[in-house]
C-alpha cells in the first residue's frame, strides 16, 4: 500500500464494529462518534416533530438494562435527539432477534397518545372524529417464515396469554392461558394470512397484531397455529429438532410436479437463512400505518379545537414499509417465485 491510498469496506463490516463497541460501553456514558451517529441515523426512515420511525436490525435489543448497553432506546437517546433536550422514547417493542419498523415518540404528549393507541390497535376515544378515524385505520403487518403451514389460509387468533416461571426460578415464558388456571392473563388478538404454498417444509405468513403483548406473535404461531417461526428456538425448539433443514421434495403449485429447493450458486446461505444450519429468527415488522400525530397533537391536548390551518393539508395517516434483513431476503428469494 502507498501513503494516501483509500480502503473501502462494506457497510456491514462497519456496522458490526459499531455494535461491538456499544456492547462494551455502559448506556449512561454512550458518546457515539460521527460515523456511529451516521449509521444510527441511516436507520431512521421518518422524522417529524412528534415521532421517529426506524428500521431496527436484528440482534439489537430494544429496551436496555444492565448488562445490556447497546439497546435501541440508549442509542437513540445518545444519537437521535435532533436538537431536542431529550432523545426519543419507545412507544412499542420488538424482540431482540426480530427486525423491522420501530416507533419512538419525541415528546411526552406524543409518547402518551401513541402508547395508548398501541395498547389495543384501532381503539380510540377522542372528540376529534378525524383522529378516531385515523386510529381505526392503524395497523402493523409482520412477515414471518414458519415451519409447516396453518390449516386455514387466513383467520383470527384470539388466545389469551399468561406468563409462567420455569423450574430454574429465573426464566420467564409466555404461554397460552388455560381457563382452569388462576394465573393472570392478558387478551391477545392476531390476524393472519398465508402468503404462499409450503416449500422446503416452510411457508410465509402475514401477521397483524391487534394487541401488543410480549412474544404475542411467536406464541400464537407456535402454540395456537402449531407452526413456530423459523429461528424461534424458545417456543419452537422441539419442532426445529424434527424439522429437516436439508432440501426436500414439495409440489410446485403451477405445474403440480415435484419440486426440489436447490442451493443457489454464489449465495452464502449460512448467513442465517432458511437453509443455514442454525437459521436466525424470521420475523420482520414490514409495514406500519398510523395517525399523523403531529397534525392532531394540539387538538388531542386541548390546546385547540381544530387542526391548525397550516397542518390541515397534511395527510391524516402515515404509512411506512421496511426492507427485510439479509437473512430473510435470502430465504425470500429462494421461495419468492412460488408465492401467490
Amino acid at each position: 500500500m502507498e501513503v494516501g491510498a483509500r480502503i473501502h469496506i462494506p457497510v456491514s463490516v462497519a456496522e458490526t464494529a459499531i455494535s461491538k463497541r456499544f456492547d462494551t460501553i455502559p448506556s449512561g456514558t454512550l458518546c457515539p462518534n460521527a460515523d456511529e451517529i451516521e449509521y444510527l441515523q441511516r436507520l431512521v426512515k421518518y422524522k417529524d416533530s412528534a415521532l421517529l420511525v426506524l428500521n431496527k436490525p436484528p440482534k439489537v435489543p430494544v429496551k436496555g438494562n444492565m448488562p445490556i448497553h447497546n439497546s435501541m432506546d440508549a442509542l437513540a437517546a445518545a444519537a437521535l435527539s435532533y436538537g431536542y433536550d431529550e432523545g426519543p422514547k419507545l412507544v412499542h417493542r420488538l424482540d431482540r432477534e426480530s427486525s423491522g419498523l420501530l416507533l419512538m415518540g419525541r415528546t411526552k404528549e406524543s409518547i402518551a397518545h401513541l402508547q395508548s393507541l398501541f395498547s389495543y390497535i384501532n381503539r380510540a376515544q377522542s372528540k376529534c372524529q378525524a383522529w378516531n378515524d385515523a386510529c381505526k385505520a392503524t395497523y402493523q403487518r409482520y412477515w414471518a417464515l414458519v415451519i409447516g403451514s396453518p390449516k386455514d389460509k387466513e383467520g383470527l387468533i384470539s388466545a389469551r396469554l399468561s406468563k409462567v416461571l420455569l423450574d430454574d426460578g429465573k426464566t420467564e415464558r409466555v404461554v397460552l392461558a388455560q381457563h382452569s388456571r388462576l394465573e393472570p392473563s392478558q387478551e391477545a388478538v392476531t390476524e393472519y394470512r398465508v402468503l404462499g404454498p409450503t416449500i422446503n417444509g416452510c411457508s410465509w405468513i402475514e401477521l397483524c397484531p391487534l394487541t401488543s403483548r410480549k412474544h404475542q406473535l411467536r406464541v400464537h404461531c407456535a402454540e395456537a397455529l402449531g407452526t413456530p417461526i423459523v429461528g424461534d428456538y424458545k417456543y419452537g425448539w422441539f419442532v426445529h429438532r424434527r424439522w429437516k433443514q436439508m432440501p426436500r421434495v414439495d409440489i410446485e403449485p403451477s405445474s403440480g410436479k415435484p419440486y426440489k429447493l436447490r442451493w443457489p450458486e454464489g449465495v452464502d446461505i449460512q448467513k442465517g437463512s432458511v437453509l443455514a444450519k442454525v437459521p436466525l429468527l424470521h420475523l420482520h415488522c414490514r409495514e406500519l400505518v398510523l395517525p399523523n400525530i403531529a397534525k392532531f397533537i394540539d387538538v388531542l391536548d386541548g390546546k385547540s379545537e381544530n387542526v391548525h390551518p397550516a397542518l390541515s393539508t397534511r395527510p391524516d395517516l402515515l404509512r411506512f414499509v421496511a426492507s427485510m434483513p439479509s437473512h430473510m431476503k435470502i430465504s425470500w428469494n429462494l421461495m419468492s417465485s412460488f408465492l401467490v
Side-chain angles (χ1 to χ4, degrees):
M1 294 183 62
E2 297 180 356
V3 176
R6 292 185 177 183
I7 301 176
H8 297 272
I9 62 173
V11 172
S12 58
V13 176
E15 292 176 351
T16 301
I18 292 170
S19 64
K20 288 182 178 179
R21 176 180 182 271
F22 284 126
D23 265 330
T24 62
I25 303 176
S27 58
T29 61
L30 283 176
C31 187
N33 59 37
D35 290 338
E36 293 162 343
I37 291 176
E38 183 182 357
Y39 157 65
L40 293 170
Q41 291 180 347
R42 282 204 306 271
L43 302 179
V44 178
K45 292 186 64 67
Y46 176 82
K47 171 175 65 73
D48 65 20
S49 60
L51 57 84
L52 284 175
V53 179
L54 302 89
N55 187 5
K56 172 192 163 316
K59 298 191 289 187
V60 177
V62 169
K63 184 66 176 177
N65 46 45
M66 300 299 287
I68 298 174
H69 308 308
N70 67 329
S71 61
M72 289 302 299
D73 62 337
L75 300 183
L80 300 179
S81 60
Y82 292 106
Y84 279 39
D85 293 336
E86 296 183 3
K89 307 296 182 185
L90 294 170
V91 172
H92 68 107
R93 298 189 183 186
L94 297 177
D95 294 338
R96 180 190 181 114
E97 302 300 330
S98 62
S99 59
L101 294 168
L102 182 68
L103 182 62
M104 306 188 83
R106 301 191 67 194
T107 66
K108 292 181 180 179
E109 294 79 12
S110 63
I111 293 169
H113 290 299
L114 290 171
Q115 286 179 340
S116 175
L117 172 64
F118 277 85
S119 63
Y120 198 114
I121 296 177
N122 305 132
R123 288 185 180 177
Q125 295 180 350
S126 170
K127 295 180 180 180
C128 179
Q129 188 58 44
W131 168 262
N132 293 343
D133 293 340
C135 289
K136 292 178 182 178
T138 298
Y139 65 81
Q140 289 176 289
R141 285 180 178 165
Y142 290 73
W143 280 7
L145 184 63
V146 299
I147 300 175
S149 181
K151 294 180 180 179
D152 298 322
K153 296 302 180 183
E154 60 182 37
L156 180 71
I157 305 169
S158 181
R160 300 182 68 87
L161 302 177
S162 61
K163 298 177 182 179
V164 297
L165 204 60
L166 300 185
D167 293 339
D168 61 7
K170 300 179 181 179
T171 307
E172 193 177 66
R173 185 184 179 94
V174 179
V175 298
L176 295 183
Q178 302 295 328
H179 296 293
S180 59
R181 290 186 176 179
L182 299 178
E183 292 92 345
S185 62
Q186 292 180 309
E187 181 183 13
V189 183
T190 304
E191 294 178 344
Y192 75 91
R193 178 172 69 95
V194 179
L195 297 177
T198 301
I199 302 293
N200 196 44
C202 303
S203 56
W204 289 96
I205 65 173
E206 182 180 81
L207 301 162
C208 295
L210 301 184
T211 53
S212 299
R213 310 302 182 203
K214 181 178 180 180
H215 296 176
Q216 173 178 325
L217 299 182
R218 295 166 63 181
V219 176
H220 276 178
C221 283
E223 298 191 18
L225 295 180
T227 56
I229 298 173
V230 171
D232 188 359
Y233 306 105
K234 183 180 183 72
Y235 296 104
W237 170 249
F238 293 105
V239 176
H240 276 79
R241 290 183 62 183
R242 296 194 301 267
W243 174 48
K244 296 180 180 179
Q245 296 171 17
M246 295 297 291
R248 68 188 70 194
V249 175
D250 290 297
I251 301 300
E252 200 279 323
S254 60
S255 65
K257 296 180 180 180
Y259 164 76
K260 189 175 183 180
L261 188 63
R262 294 175 176 84
W263 290 42
E265 295 182 2
V267 177
D268 185 1
I269 62 169
Q270 295 302 319
K271 296 295 185 179
S273 76
V274 65
L275 292 183
K277 292 183 179 179
V278 184
L280 297 177
L281 183 68
H282 281 57
L283 179 62
H284 177 71
C285 183
R286 179 180 180 272
E287 185 178 3
L288 174 63
V289 172
L290 74 158
N292 188 351
I293 190 169
K295 177 178 179 177
F296 296 105
I297 190 68
D298 287 344
V299 177
L300 296 175
D301 291 340
K303 298 178 181 179
S304 174
E305 294 184 359
N306 300 302
V307 174
H308 192 280
L311 303 175
S312 60
T313 58
R314 294 187 182 182
D316 291 350
L317 289 171
L318 301 174
R319 178 179 179 268
F320 308 98
V321 177
S323 59
M324 292 186 290
S326 59
H327 69 280
M328 290 186 67
K329 285 182 180 178
I330 295 173
S331 300
W332 177 268
N333 291 334
L334 288 170
M335 305 168 66
S336 61
S337 61
F338 298 94
L339 296 179
V340 293

